[in-house]
Amino acid sequence: MKILCLALLAIVATPAVAEPLDTTPRTVVMTAFAPEWESLAHSVDTPKTYRINGLTFLTGTMAGKPVLLIQSGVSMVNAAMNTQLVLDRFTVRRIVFSGIAGGVDPALSIGDVVVPEHWAQYLEVSFARKAGEGWTPPETTDADAPKNYGMMFPRGVRVGNATEPARRHYAFPVDPAMLALARKVAAGVKLRRCVSGDAKAPGCLAETPKIVVGGTGVSAGVYADNAEFRTYLSQTYKAPVLDMESAAVAQVAYANAVPVIVFRSLSDLAGGDAGANQMTVFMELAAVNSADVVRAFVAALPN
């Protein structure tokens, strides 16, 4: 009886192995939330739907290329968790993220699409103690660590992968071959000023947006709308944009040695606006502009 009970306990305690849902090698086209998803879902031909943990996974083709469209969910933990989930349950060639973002570089405008070369987590920090007129962080600060913002001292994150031992990272690179392709594709894409075509409609821009490739995008679980902190990110990280998911996706992609690239269109200026935050006004336009560039990028992929 005792042996039988132990055997049953072992069966119950053994975790289930997730079975792959689709074995076709695909480009994962990732979005964070509904407006970004909706700007791309109609571009998926011969769609097939899977549902896991309340999420929808849409397989099919885009411009003739096998793709898998998903929503990561908003913010860092959702993005990391669901990036790993899609890697575990599907056969993934690469990850291409499409979404909106807040503009950090003062040279950028709402509607612009940015394709950063690196992604950093700007709130992976130590909180320091006040020491006279300065601060004393609880650990030694690396020479290559970004500059602190008051009591917040960037500490990076330790992670490795199958070919590289764990070390401290302050930013994760996107795939260089995909970045080079993005530069080529950018030259042939004209971004939209309006979604509706009515130049006088709300959410319509006075000038045609542009595509910028390069720089270090930054992410954190924060809806950032603060001019002073925006200036810090611009000066310290040379950041063009900030968002709430991309650096988490880039970290998981690095840990799994999967190529990744991120396209982000500015819906607001993260506190740099002259008036109120404009995200709700320009969210649809930004999502569509990012989607337009991503569709052209997927069409240019070799497979």
Side-chain angles (χ1 to χ4, degrees), residues 283-296:
M283 174 174 61
E284 183 182 2
L285 176 64
V288 166
N289 271 341
S290 180
D292 284 349
V293 183
V294 165
R295 271 190 292 270

Side-chain angles (χ1 to χ4, degrees), residues 100-114 122 205 209-210 218 223-234 239-243 264-283 286:
I100 68 173
V104 176
D105 184 346
L108 297 176
S109 302
I110 288 175
D112 291 349
V113 173
V114 183
Y122 67 82
L205 301 170
K210 59 186 176 296
V218 293
Y223 186 163
D225 191 42
N226 182 277
E228 182 180 323
F229 197 75
R230 176 182 187 258
T231 298
Y232 161 75
L233 293 174
S234 176
V241 294
L242 60 77
D243 66 33
R264 290 283 185 171
S265 181
L266 275 57
S267 59
D268 63 275
L269 300 180
D273 316 72
N277 186 285
Q278 297 292 294
M279 193 272 281
T280 56
V281 177
F282 292 105
M283 174 174 61

Side-chain angles (χ1 to χ4, degrees), residues 15-267:
V17 177
E19 292 293 331
L21 293 175
D22 179 86
T23 58
T24 301
R26 298 183 185 275
T27 295
V28 171
V29 180
M30 185 176 291
T31 65
F33 71 138
E36 299 164 350
W37 163 281
E38 290 162 2
S39 67
L40 284 162
H42 67 278
S43 301
V44 179
D45 298 320
T46 61
K48 180 177 180 180
T49 299
Y50 299 86
R51 289 187 173 85
I52 314 171
N53 296 351
L55 301 175
T56 298
F57 298 77
L58 195 66
T59 62
T61 61
M62 182 182 295
K65 311 298 168 60
V67 297
L68 167 60
L69 181 65
I70 73 166
Q71 290 183 55
S72 68
V74 173
S75 206
M76 301 289 276
V77 174
N78 276 334
M81 174 177 67
N82 293 320
T83 301
Q84 189 62 59
L85 175 62
V86 77
L87 292 173
D88 290 343
R89 301 301 299 274
F90 295 87
T91 304
V92 177
R93 288 188 188 274
R94 59 183 71 87
I95 298 171
V96 178
F97 202 111
S98 178
I100 68 173
V104 176
D105 184 346
L108 297 176
S109 302
I110 288 175
D112 291 349
V113 173
V114 183
V115 193
E117 188 172 2
H118 296 86
W119 282 93
Q121 300 180 45
Y122 67 82
L123 283 189
E124 189 68 40
V125 298
S126 296
F127 280 8
R129 296 187 184 192
K130 188 69 175 173
E133 296 300 315
W135 303 95
T136 301
E139 57 186 346
T140 302
T141 303
D142 292 347
D144 55 349
K147 178 185 174 183
N148 65 297
Y149 181 79
M151 71 173 185
M152 299 188 297
F153 285 72
R155 63 189 306 272
V157 59
R158 287 186 61 84
V159 63
N161 61 25
T163 60
E164 298 181 8
R167 63 179 177 85
R168 194 177 297 275
H169 294 260
Y170 290 99
F172 294 93
V174 305
D175 181 70
M178 287 204 288
L179 191 72
L181 180 61
R183 291 185 193 277
K184 294 179 181 179
V185 168
V189 179
K190 184 176 181 180
L191 300 179
R192 308 189 200 192
R193 292 175 45 233
C194 310
V195 172
S196 66
D198 181 358
K200 296 181 180 180
C204 191
L205 301 170
E207 298 181 0
T208 301
K210 59 186 176 296
I211 303 172
V212 176
V213 181
T216 298
V218 293
S219 307
V222 174
Y223 186 163
D225 191 42
N226 182 277
E228 182 180 323
F229 197 75
R230 176 182 187 258
T231 298
Y232 161 75
L233 293 174
S234 176
Q235 294 176 347
T236 303
Y237 288 89
K238 309 303 180 188
V241 294
L242 60 77
D243 66 33
M244 300 176 67
E245 298 88 21
S246 297
V249 175
Q251 179 178 329
V252 175
Y254 165 80
N256 289 272
V258 173
V260 65
I261 193 168
V262 178
F263 297 79
R264 290 283 185 171
S265 181
L266 275 57
S267 59

